[in-house]
Amino acid sequence: EDKVVQSPLSLVVHEGDTVTLNCSYEVTNFRSLLWYKQEKKAPTFLFMLTSSGIEKKSGRLSSILDKKELFSILNITATQTGDSAVYLCAVEATRDDKIIFGKGTRLHILP
Amino acid sequence: EAGVAQSPRYKIIEKRQSVAFWCNPISGHATLYWYQQILGQGPKLLIQFQNNGVVDDSQLPKDRFSAERLKGVDSTLKIQPAKLEDSAVYLCASSLGNFGEQYFGPGTRLTVT
């Protein structure tokens, strides 16, 4: 059965810390892995990763994919209170254009 | 650019009643998705449309849920009759193609009592 597992499920750190969020997957016919940030209701897109070893970066956020070990990490450096959110990982498969979300990591940044 | 619109934002109904949600995707987006997100869980795909055709509805409880996307633009999702376990946020999203970045609407929070 296809699945996406995120860890940790929740994380509390202080402002300025660096955090690493993990996403592992078992999906047949992998196409891409996406990261979203969900603050209130609507998730907003962060990154899409399709190739191993190529880091995607946007400001203090970066992400990389390992297709051999079947995981991705999302790094946030110099965290700010505005980074507090649920971070969702989703994997797309080419078969039936399926998409599967993980349960998310709830990140709370203390001032 | 206008985002994905959803209505209503909140709905409270009793079990066994029916309810309908509406979604208008971003103009020009061919693919529309409906997700169910139960508290503490990630979004679960219910149905995916490409234009007005169904791409995937394998996780849609078809005995009580139905969805349509007439004319390949806006879409409605209906639940009839509702059960307590249907309490969730229902998210609509759209994308240009049939994979990649999705744009999400604000969601509808459904409470079934």
Side-chain angles (χ1 to χ4, degrees), chain A residues 32-76:
Chain A
S32 58
L33 185 145
L34 299 98
W35 285 97
Y36 288 86
K37 178 182 182 181
Q38 187 173 27
E39 291 180 84
K40 298 285 186 186
K41 283 186 185 173
T44 53
F45 173 80
L46 294 174
F47 299 111
M48 182 170 80
L49 303 152
T50 56
S51 302
S52 270
I54 298 174
E55 186 183 53
K56 292 265 180 116
K57 199 169 170 63
S58 176
R60 295 177 294 102
L61 279 66
S62 63
S63 183
I64 198 160
L65 173 68
D66 185 329
K67 289 168 74 173
K68 182 179 176 186
E69 299 297 329
L70 307 183
F71 78 91
S72 173
I73 59 172
L74 175 68
N75 277 321
I76 309 175

mmCIF file of all heavy atoms in Angstrom, chain A residues 32-76:
data_model
loop_
_atom_site.group_PDB
_atom_site.id
_atom_site.type_symbol
_atom_site.label_atom_id
_atom_site.label_comp_id
_atom_site.label_asym_id
_atom_site.label_seq_id
_atom_site.Cartn_x
_atom_site.Cartn_y
_atom_site.Cartn_z
ATOM 1 N N SER A 32 6.756 12.789 -8.212
ATOM 2 C CA SER A 32 7.318 13.980 -7.563
ATOM 3 C C SER A 32 6.915 14.011 -6.098
ATOM 4 O O SER A 32 5.982 13.325 -5.672
ATOM 5 C CB SER A 32 6.825 15.244 -8.266
ATOM 6 O OG SER A 32 5.411 15.290 -8.253
ATOM 7 N N LEU A 33 7.636 14.827 -5.341
ATOM 8 C CA LEU A 33 7.338 15.046 -3.928
ATOM 9 C C LEU A 33 7.176 16.543 -3.722
ATOM 10 O O LEU A 33 7.980 17.329 -4.227
ATOM 11 C CB LEU A 33 8.465 14.490 -3.042
ATOM 12 C CG LEU A 33 8.248 14.537 -1.526
ATOM 13 C CD1 LEU A 33 8.891 13.316 -0.867
ATOM 14 C CD2 LEU A 33 8.751 15.817 -0.912
ATOM 15 N N LEU A 34 6.140 16.902 -3.007
ATOM 16 C CA LEU A 34 5.843 18.316 -2.792
ATOM 17 C C LEU A 34 5.763 18.616 -1.303
ATOM 18 O O LEU A 34 5.318 17.784 -0.514
ATOM 19 C CB LEU A 34 4.509 18.693 -3.450
ATOM 20 C CG LEU A 34 4.442 18.498 -4.953
ATOM 21 C CD1 LEU A 34 3.772 17.181 -5.292
ATOM 22 C CD2 LEU A 34 3.698 19.643 -5.616
ATOM 23 N N TRP A 35 6.183 19.826 -0.947
ATOM 24 C CA TRP A 35 6.054 20.320 0.425
ATOM 25 C C TRP A 35 5.093 21.504 0.417
ATOM 26 O O TRP A 35 5.171 22.384 -0.468
ATOM 27 C CB TRP A 35 7.402 20.785 0.977
ATOM 28 C CG TRP A 35 8.332 19.677 1.366
ATOM 29 C CD1 TRP A 35 9.342 19.149 0.625
ATOM 30 C CD2 TRP A 35 8.354 18.984 2.627
ATOM 31 N NE1 TRP A 35 9.990 18.165 1.338
ATOM 32 C CE2 TRP A 35 9.405 18.050 2.564
ATOM 33 C CE3 TRP A 35 7.601 19.069 3.801
ATOM 34 C CZ2 TRP A 35 9.717 17.188 3.632
ATOM 35 C CZ3 TRP A 35 7.910 18.215 4.844
ATOM 36 C CH2 TRP A 35 8.955 17.295 4.763
ATOM 37 N N TYR A 36 4.196 21.507 1.407
ATOM 38 C CA TYR A 36 3.257 22.598 1.593
ATOM 39 C C TYR A 36 3.322 23.079 3.038
ATOM 40 O O TYR A 36 3.618 22.312 3.955
ATOM 41 C CB TYR A 36 1.812 22.142 1.312
ATOM 42 C CG TYR A 36 1.482 21.898 -0.134
ATOM 43 C CD1 TYR A 36 1.736 20.665 -0.729
ATOM 44 C CD2 TYR A 36 0.896 22.890 -0.902
ATOM 45 C CE1 TYR A 36 1.413 20.437 -2.066
ATOM 46 C CE2 TYR A 36 0.563 22.671 -2.233
ATOM 47 C CZ TYR A 36 0.832 21.442 -2.801
ATOM 48 O OH TYR A 36 0.515 21.225 -4.114
ATOM 49 N N LYS A 37 2.965 24.350 3.228
ATOM 50 C CA LYS A 37 2.853 24.940 4.570
ATOM 51 C C LYS A 37 1.375 25.232 4.806
ATOM 52 O O LYS A 37 0.719 25.859 3.961
ATOM 53 C CB LYS A 37 3.662 26.238 4.636
ATOM 54 C CG LYS A 37 3.590 26.964 5.960
ATOM 55 C CD LYS A 37 4.389 28.269 5.890
ATOM 56 C CE LYS A 37 4.381 29.006 7.220
ATOM 57 N NZ LYS A 37 5.132 30.285 7.159
ATOM 58 N N GLN A 38 0.851 24.772 5.934
ATOM 59 C CA GLN A 38 -0.561 25.004 6.248
ATOM 60 C C GLN A 38 -0.656 25.761 7.568
ATOM 61 O O GLN A 38 -0.417 25.215 8.633
ATOM 62 C CB GLN A 38 -1.332 23.676 6.325
ATOM 63 C CG GLN A 38 -2.822 23.855 6.476
ATOM 64 C CD GLN A 38 -3.595 22.545 6.374
ATOM 65 O OE1 GLN A 38 -3.079 21.463 6.677
ATOM 66 N NE2 GLN A 38 -4.833 22.606 5.925
ATOM 67 N N GLU A 39 -1.046 27.038 7.459
ATOM 68 C CA GLU A 39 -1.122 27.879 8.657
ATOM 69 C C GLU A 39 -2.519 27.887 9.251
ATOM 70 O O GLU A 39 -2.708 27.672 10.419
ATOM 71 C CB GLU A 39 -0.680 29.300 8.331
ATOM 72 C CG GLU A 39 0.803 29.381 8.032
ATOM 73 C CD GLU A 39 1.264 30.775 7.703
ATOM 74 O OE1 GLU A 39 1.537 31.552 8.635
ATOM 75 O OE2 GLU A 39 1.342 31.080 6.495
ATOM 76 N N LYS A 40 -3.519 28.184 8.469
ATOM 77 C CA LYS A 40 -4.893 28.176 8.944
ATOM 78 C C LYS A 40 -5.610 26.995 8.315
ATOM 79 O O LYS A 40 -5.660 25.918 8.847
ATOM 80 C CB LYS A 40 -5.566 29.496 8.585
ATOM 81 C CG LYS A 40 -4.914 30.692 9.233
ATOM 82 C CD LYS A 40 -5.256 30.800 10.698
ATOM 83 C CE LYS A 40 -4.717 32.085 11.287
ATOM 84 N NZ LYS A 40 -4.914 32.169 12.747
ATOM 85 N N LYS A 41 -6.154 27.209 7.139
ATOM 86 C CA LYS A 41 -6.828 26.112 6.450
ATOM 87 C C LYS A 41 -6.148 25.736 5.136
ATOM 88 O O LYS A 41 -5.960 24.578 4.845
ATOM 89 C CB LYS A 41 -8.285 26.493 6.160
ATOM 90 C CG LYS A 41 -9.204 26.420 7.351
ATOM 91 C CD LYS A 41 -10.608 26.674 6.913
ATOM 92 C CE LYS A 41 -11.557 26.743 8.091
ATOM 93 N NZ LYS A 41 -12.910 27.147 7.677
ATOM 94 N N ALA A 42 -5.822 26.754 4.334
ATOM 95 C CA ALA A 42 -5.359 26.448 2.983
ATOM 96 C C ALA A 42 -3.857 26.193 2.932
ATOM 97 O O ALA A 42 -3.066 27.068 3.250
ATOM 98 C CB ALA A 42 -5.717 27.594 2.036
ATOM 99 N N PRO A 43 -3.422 25.002 2.555
ATOM 100 C CA PRO A 43 -1.988 24.766 2.351
ATOM 101 C C PRO A 43 -1.460 25.654 1.234
ATOM 102 O O PRO A 43 -2.157 25.882 0.239
ATOM 103 C CB PRO A 43 -1.930 23.290 1.941
ATOM 104 C CG PRO A 43 -3.203 22.681 2.436
ATOM 105 C CD PRO A 43 -4.220 23.773 2.345
ATOM 106 N N THR A 44 -0.244 26.127 1.417
ATOM 107 C CA THR A 44 0.415 26.895 0.363
ATOM 108 C C THR A 44 1.689 26.166 -0.055
ATOM 109 O O THR A 44 2.402 25.613 0.778
ATOM 110 C CB THR A 44 0.760 28.317 0.818
ATOM 111 O OG1 THR A 44 1.515 28.237 2.035
ATOM 112 C CG2 THR A 44 -0.483 29.136 1.058
ATOM 113 N N PHE A 45 1.952 26.201 -1.333
ATOM 114 C CA PHE A 45 3.032 25.438 -1.946
ATOM 115 C C PHE A 45 4.397 25.989 -1.543
ATOM 116 O O PHE A 45 4.612 27.202 -1.503
ATOM 117 C CB PHE A 45 2.863 25.509 -3.465
ATOM 118 C CG PHE A 45 3.986 24.911 -4.244
ATOM 119 C CD1 PHE A 45 4.084 23.540 -4.423
ATOM 120 C CD2 PHE A 45 4.956 25.727 -4.824
ATOM 121 C CE1 PHE A 45 5.119 22.994 -5.156
ATOM 122 C CE2 PHE A 45 5.987 25.187 -5.559
ATOM 123 C CZ PHE A 45 6.072 23.821 -5.722
ATOM 124 N N LEU A 46 5.322 25.075 -1.242
ATOM 125 C CA LEU A 46 6.698 25.467 -0.953
ATOM 126 C C LEU A 46 7.651 24.972 -2.056
ATOM 127 O O LEU A 46 8.304 25.768 -2.714
ATOM 128 C CB LEU A 46 7.156 24.885 0.392
ATOM 129 C CG LEU A 46 6.442 25.412 1.635
ATOM 130 C CD1 LEU A 46 6.886 24.638 2.862
ATOM 131 C CD2 LEU A 46 6.676 26.902 1.806
ATOM 132 N N PHE A 47 7.730 23.649 -2.230
ATOM 133 C CA PHE A 47 8.679 23.076 -3.187
ATOM 134 C C PHE A 47 8.075 21.860 -3.887
ATOM 135 O O PHE A 47 7.254 21.161 -3.320
ATOM 136 C CB PHE A 47 9.956 22.578 -2.469
ATOM 137 C CG PHE A 47 10.726 23.625 -1.744
ATOM 138 C CD1 PHE A 47 10.778 23.608 -0.353
ATOM 139 C CD2 PHE A 47 11.421 24.608 -2.423
ATOM 140 C CE1 PHE A 47 11.499 24.564 0.340
ATOM 141 C CE2 PHE A 47 12.151 25.559 -1.746
ATOM 142 C CZ PHE A 47 12.190 25.543 -0.349
ATOM 143 N N MET A 48 8.573 21.615 -5.089
ATOM 144 C CA MET A 48 8.332 20.350 -5.768
ATOM 145 C C MET A 48 9.683 19.754 -6.142
ATOM 146 O O MET A 48 10.536 20.455 -6.705
ATOM 147 C CB MET A 48 7.483 20.518 -7.023
ATOM 148 C CG MET A 48 7.180 19.192 -7.701
ATOM 149 S SD MET A 48 5.966 19.274 -9.021
ATOM 150 C CE MET A 48 6.939 19.888 -10.361
ATOM 151 N N LEU A 49 9.882 18.494 -5.803
ATOM 152 C CA LEU A 49 11.153 17.814 -6.029
ATOM 153 C C LEU A 49 10.907 16.596 -6.896
ATOM 154 O O LEU A 49 10.000 15.803 -6.626
ATOM 155 C CB LEU A 49 11.757 17.376 -4.692
ATOM 156 C CG LEU A 49 11.968 18.498 -3.683
ATOM 157 C CD1 LEU A 49 11.907 17.970 -2.270
ATOM 158 C CD2 LEU A 49 13.305 19.157 -3.925
ATOM 159 N N THR A 50 11.719 16.461 -7.926
ATOM 160 C CA THR A 50 11.593 15.302 -8.807
ATOM 161 C C THR A 50 12.898 14.549 -8.954
ATOM 162 O O THR A 50 12.886 13.359 -9.265
ATOM 163 C CB THR A 50 11.102 15.716 -10.198
ATOM 164 O OG1 THR A 50 12.000 16.704 -10.723
ATOM 165 C CG2 THR A 50 9.699 16.297 -10.141
ATOM 166 N N SER A 51 14.012 15.221 -8.739
ATOM 167 C CA SER A 51 15.319 14.592 -8.948
ATOM 168 C C SER A 51 16.070 14.476 -7.635
ATOM 169 O O SER A 51 16.031 15.370 -6.794
ATOM 170 C CB SER A 51 16.147 15.417 -9.929
ATOM 171 O OG SER A 51 15.467 15.542 -11.152
ATOM 172 N N SER A 52 16.808 13.395 -7.493
ATOM 173 C CA SER A 52 17.610 13.188 -6.284
ATOM 174 C C SER A 52 18.773 14.147 -6.214
ATOM 175 O O SER A 52 19.411 14.462 -7.229
ATOM 176 C CB SER A 52 18.188 11.765 -6.288
ATOM 177 O OG SER A 52 17.346 10.864 -5.665
ATOM 178 N N GLY A 53 19.079 14.587 -4.991
ATOM 179 C CA GLY A 53 20.316 15.303 -4.733
ATOM 180 C C GLY A 53 20.345 16.759 -5.144
ATOM 181 O O GLY A 53 21.345 17.442 -4.923
ATOM 182 N N ILE A 54 19.276 17.254 -5.724
ATOM 183 C CA ILE A 54 19.263 18.661 -6.142
ATOM 184 C C ILE A 54 18.488 19.454 -5.108
ATOM 185 O O ILE A 54 17.286 19.243 -4.921
ATOM 186 C CB ILE A 54 18.624 18.816 -7.529
ATOM 187 C CG1 ILE A 54 19.448 18.039 -8.562
ATOM 188 C CG2 ILE A 54 18.546 20.295 -7.903
ATOM 189 C CD1 ILE A 54 18.837 18.014 -9.939
ATOM 190 N N GLU A 55 19.176 20.367 -4.434
ATOM 191 C CA GLU A 55 18.531 21.133 -3.381
ATOM 192 C C GLU A 55 17.703 22.262 -3.964
ATOM 193 O O GLU A 55 18.144 22.987 -4.856
ATOM 194 C CB GLU A 55 19.586 21.716 -2.437
ATOM 195 C CG GLU A 55 18.992 22.422 -1.216
ATOM 196 C CD GLU A 55 20.043 23.062 -0.335
ATOM 197 O OE1 GLU A 55 20.862 23.838 -0.843
ATOM 198 O OE2 GLU A 55 20.043 22.767 0.888
ATOM 199 N N LYS A 56 16.502 22.383 -3.433
ATOM 200 C CA LYS A 56 15.667 23.529 -3.775
ATOM 201 C C LYS A 56 15.720 24.479 -2.587
ATOM 202 O O LYS A 56 15.682 24.050 -1.426
ATOM 203 C CB LYS A 56 14.215 23.078 -4.011
ATOM 204 C CG LYS A 56 14.042 22.240 -5.250
ATOM 205 C CD LYS A 56 13.622 23.054 -6.426
ATOM 206 C CE LYS A 56 13.448 22.207 -7.670
ATOM 207 N NZ LYS A 56 12.077 22.184 -8.139
ATOM 208 N N LYS A 57 15.821 25.768 -2.881
ATOM 209 C CA LYS A 57 16.009 26.741 -1.802
ATOM 210 C C LYS A 57 15.112 27.945 -2.041
ATOM 211 O O LYS A 57 14.964 28.421 -3.171
ATOM 212 C CB LYS A 57 17.480 27.166 -1.776
ATOM 213 C CG LYS A 57 17.937 27.791 -0.490
ATOM 214 C CD LYS A 57 19.459 27.908 -0.477
ATOM 215 C CE LYS A 57 19.935 28.759 0.687
ATOM 216 N NZ LYS A 57 19.614 28.186 1.992
ATOM 217 N N SER A 58 14.541 28.437 -0.920
ATOM 218 C CA SER A 58 13.760 29.661 -0.986
ATOM 219 C C SER A 58 13.938 30.377 0.342
ATOM 220 O O SER A 58 13.356 29.980 1.358
ATOM 221 C CB SER A 58 12.282 29.338 -1.236
ATOM 222 O OG SER A 58 11.509 30.508 -1.198
ATOM 223 N N GLY A 59 14.787 31.391 0.338
ATOM 224 C CA GLY A 59 15.067 32.107 1.567
ATOM 225 C C GLY A 59 15.689 31.194 2.611
ATOM 226 O O GLY A 59 16.711 30.559 2.365
ATOM 227 N N ARG A 60 15.033 31.096 3.757
ATOM 228 C CA ARG A 60 15.559 30.277 4.850
ATOM 229 C C ARG A 60 15.137 28.812 4.743
ATOM 230 O O ARG A 60 15.527 27.992 5.574
ATOM 231 C CB ARG A 60 15.075 30.867 6.175
ATOM 232 C CG ARG A 60 15.617 32.263 6.467
ATOM 233 C CD ARG A 60 15.044 32.834 7.755
ATOM 234 N NE ARG A 60 13.610 33.074 7.648
ATOM 235 C CZ ARG A 60 12.675 32.291 8.165
ATOM 236 N NH1 ARG A 60 13.026 31.211 8.847
ATOM 237 N NH2 ARG A 60 11.399 32.583 8.021
ATOM 238 N N LEU A 61 14.310 28.500 3.756
ATOM 239 C CA LEU A 61 13.823 27.132 3.586
ATOM 240 C C LEU A 61 14.588 26.448 2.467
ATOM 241 O O LEU A 61 14.911 27.066 1.451
ATOM 242 C CB LEU A 61 12.335 27.123 3.246
ATOM 243 C CG LEU A 61 11.330 27.263 4.388
ATOM 244 C CD1 LEU A 61 11.393 28.619 5.057
ATOM 245 C CD2 LEU A 61 9.924 26.963 3.895
ATOM 246 N N SER A 62 14.859 25.170 2.675
ATOM 247 C CA SER A 62 15.490 24.374 1.632
ATOM 248 C C SER A 62 15.010 22.939 1.754
ATOM 249 O O SER A 62 14.586 22.494 2.833
ATOM 250 C CB SER A 62 17.019 24.438 1.719
ATOM 251 O OG SER A 62 17.462 23.872 2.949
ATOM 252 N N SER A 63 15.086 22.215 0.642
ATOM 253 C CA SER A 63 14.607 20.841 0.645
ATOM 254 C C SER A 63 15.409 20.026 -0.346
ATOM 255 O O SER A 63 15.912 20.550 -1.352
ATOM 256 C CB SER A 63 13.124 20.796 0.283
ATOM 257 O OG SER A 63 12.638 19.476 0.355
ATOM 258 N N ILE A 64 15.520 18.736 -0.063
ATOM 259 C CA ILE A 64 16.253 17.839 -0.933
ATOM 260 C C ILE A 64 15.580 16.482 -0.927
ATOM 261 O O ILE A 64 14.900 16.122 0.036
ATOM 262 C CB ILE A 64 17.737 17.747 -0.499
ATOM 263 C CG1 ILE A 64 18.601 17.177 -1.620
ATOM 264 C CG2 ILE A 64 17.896 16.966 0.791
ATOM 265 C CD1 ILE A 64 20.069 17.496 -1.450
ATOM 266 N N LEU A 65 15.748 15.764 -2.013
ATOM 267 C CA LEU A 65 15.093 14.469 -2.189
ATOM 268 C C LEU A 65 16.144 13.379 -2.390
ATOM 269 O O LEU A 65 17.142 13.598 -3.090
ATOM 270 C CB LEU A 65 14.179 14.529 -3.416
ATOM 271 C CG LEU A 65 13.519 13.256 -3.908
ATOM 272 C CD1 LEU A 65 12.481 12.766 -2.893
ATOM 273 C CD2 LEU A 65 12.855 13.487 -5.267
ATOM 274 N N ASP A 66 15.925 12.234 -1.784
ATOM 275 C CA ASP A 66 16.776 11.055 -1.989
ATOM 276 C C ASP A 66 15.885 9.927 -2.502
ATOM 277 O O ASP A 66 15.162 9.297 -1.733
ATOM 278 C CB ASP A 66 17.449 10.661 -0.672
ATOM 279 C CG ASP A 66 18.454 9.522 -0.836
ATOM 280 O OD1 ASP A 66 18.248 8.656 -1.724
ATOM 281 O OD2 ASP A 66 19.425 9.479 -0.079
ATOM 282 N N LYS A 67 15.931 9.688 -3.806
ATOM 283 C CA LYS A 67 15.042 8.693 -4.421
ATOM 284 C C LYS A 67 15.516 7.266 -4.206
ATOM 285 O O LYS A 67 14.755 6.323 -4.392
ATOM 286 C CB LYS A 67 14.895 8.981 -5.913
ATOM 287 C CG LYS A 67 14.065 10.225 -6.192
ATOM 288 C CD LYS A 67 14.143 10.669 -7.619
ATOM 289 C CE LYS A 67 13.367 9.774 -8.540
ATOM 290 N NZ LYS A 67 13.328 10.332 -9.925
ATOM 291 N N LYS A 68 16.770 7.123 -3.789
ATOM 292 C CA LYS A 68 17.271 5.779 -3.500
ATOM 293 C C LYS A 68 16.768 5.319 -2.130
ATOM 294 O O LYS A 68 16.295 4.201 -1.973
ATOM 295 C CB LYS A 68 18.800 5.776 -3.520
ATOM 296 C CG LYS A 68 19.419 4.406 -3.278
ATOM 297 C CD LYS A 68 20.927 4.461 -3.330
ATOM 298 C CE LYS A 68 21.519 3.090 -2.994
ATOM 299 N NZ LYS A 68 23.011 3.149 -2.908
ATOM 300 N N GLU A 69 16.861 6.230 -1.145
ATOM 301 C CA GLU A 69 16.423 5.898 0.212
ATOM 302 C C GLU A 69 14.962 6.277 0.448
ATOM 303 O O GLU A 69 14.426 6.038 1.512
ATOM 304 C CB GLU A 69 17.310 6.598 1.242
ATOM 305 C CG GLU A 69 18.768 6.198 1.162
ATOM 306 C CD GLU A 69 18.988 4.714 1.457
ATOM 307 O OE1 GLU A 69 18.208 4.130 2.254
ATOM 308 O OE2 GLU A 69 19.914 4.132 0.876
ATOM 309 N N LEU A 70 14.331 6.894 -0.527
ATOM 310 C CA LEU A 70 12.904 7.221 -0.492
ATOM 311 C C LEU A 70 12.544 8.179 0.643
ATOM 312 O O LEU A 70 11.658 7.902 1.474
ATOM 313 C CB LEU A 70 12.053 5.940 -0.395
ATOM 314 C CG LEU A 70 12.330 4.864 -1.437
ATOM 315 C CD1 LEU A 70 11.363 3.691 -1.242
ATOM 316 C CD2 LEU A 70 12.231 5.400 -2.850
ATOM 317 N N PHE A 71 13.229 9.311 0.693
ATOM 318 C CA PHE A 71 12.855 10.313 1.676
ATOM 319 C C PHE A 71 13.255 11.696 1.193
ATOM 320 O O PHE A 71 14.049 11.866 0.262
ATOM 321 C CB PHE A 71 13.486 10.013 3.040
ATOM 322 C CG PHE A 71 14.936 10.383 3.164
ATOM 323 C CD1 PHE A 71 15.315 11.632 3.633
ATOM 324 C CD2 PHE A 71 15.920 9.484 2.803
ATOM 325 C CE1 PHE A 71 16.651 11.972 3.732
ATOM 326 C CE2 PHE A 71 17.263 9.815 2.898
ATOM 327 C CZ PHE A 71 17.618 11.060 3.355
ATOM 328 N N SER A 72 12.678 12.667 1.889
ATOM 329 C CA SER A 72 13.011 14.063 1.646
ATOM 330 C C SER A 72 13.111 14.766 2.995
ATOM 331 O O SER A 72 12.492 14.342 3.974
ATOM 332 C CB SER A 72 11.930 14.735 0.797
ATOM 333 O OG SER A 72 12.155 16.133 0.695
ATOM 334 N N ILE A 73 13.901 15.829 3.043
ATOM 335 C CA ILE A 73 13.944 16.654 4.237
ATOM 336 C C ILE A 73 13.647 18.099 3.856
ATOM 337 O O ILE A 73 13.930 18.540 2.730
ATOM 338 C CB ILE A 73 15.299 16.571 4.971
ATOM 339 C CG1 ILE A 73 16.447 16.999 4.068
ATOM 340 C CG2 ILE A 73 15.529 15.179 5.534
ATOM 341 C CD1 ILE A 73 17.764 17.125 4.798
ATOM 342 N N LEU A 74 13.039 18.780 4.805
ATOM 343 C CA LEU A 74 12.780 20.211 4.682
ATOM 344 C C LEU A 74 13.519 20.885 5.827
ATOM 345 O O LEU A 74 13.289 20.552 6.990
ATOM 346 C CB LEU A 74 11.278 20.504 4.778
ATOM 347 C CG LEU A 74 10.874 21.972 4.785
ATOM 348 C CD1 LEU A 74 11.156 22.619 3.439
ATOM 349 C CD2 LEU A 74 9.388 22.102 5.126
ATOM 350 N N ASN A 75 14.426 21.777 5.485
ATOM 351 C CA ASN A 75 15.191 22.513 6.490
ATOM 352 C C ASN A 75 14.700 23.943 6.588
ATOM 353 O O ASN A 75 14.425 24.587 5.571
ATOM 354 C CB ASN A 75 16.674 22.552 6.106
ATOM 355 C CG ASN A 75 17.397 21.289 6.527
ATOM 356 O OD1 ASN A 75 17.156 20.734 7.584
ATOM 357 N ND2 ASN A 75 18.300 20.829 5.679
ATOM 358 N N ILE A 76 14.607 24.425 7.805
ATOM 359 C CA ILE A 76 14.306 25.833 8.032
ATOM 360 C C ILE A 76 15.387 26.366 8.967
ATOM 361 O O ILE A 76 15.539 25.876 10.090
ATOM 362 C CB ILE A 76 12.923 26.056 8.664
ATOM 363 C CG1 ILE A 76 11.844 25.307 7.882
ATOM 364 C CG2 ILE A 76 12.605 27.546 8.722
ATOM 365 C CD1 ILE A 76 10.459 25.370 8.518
#
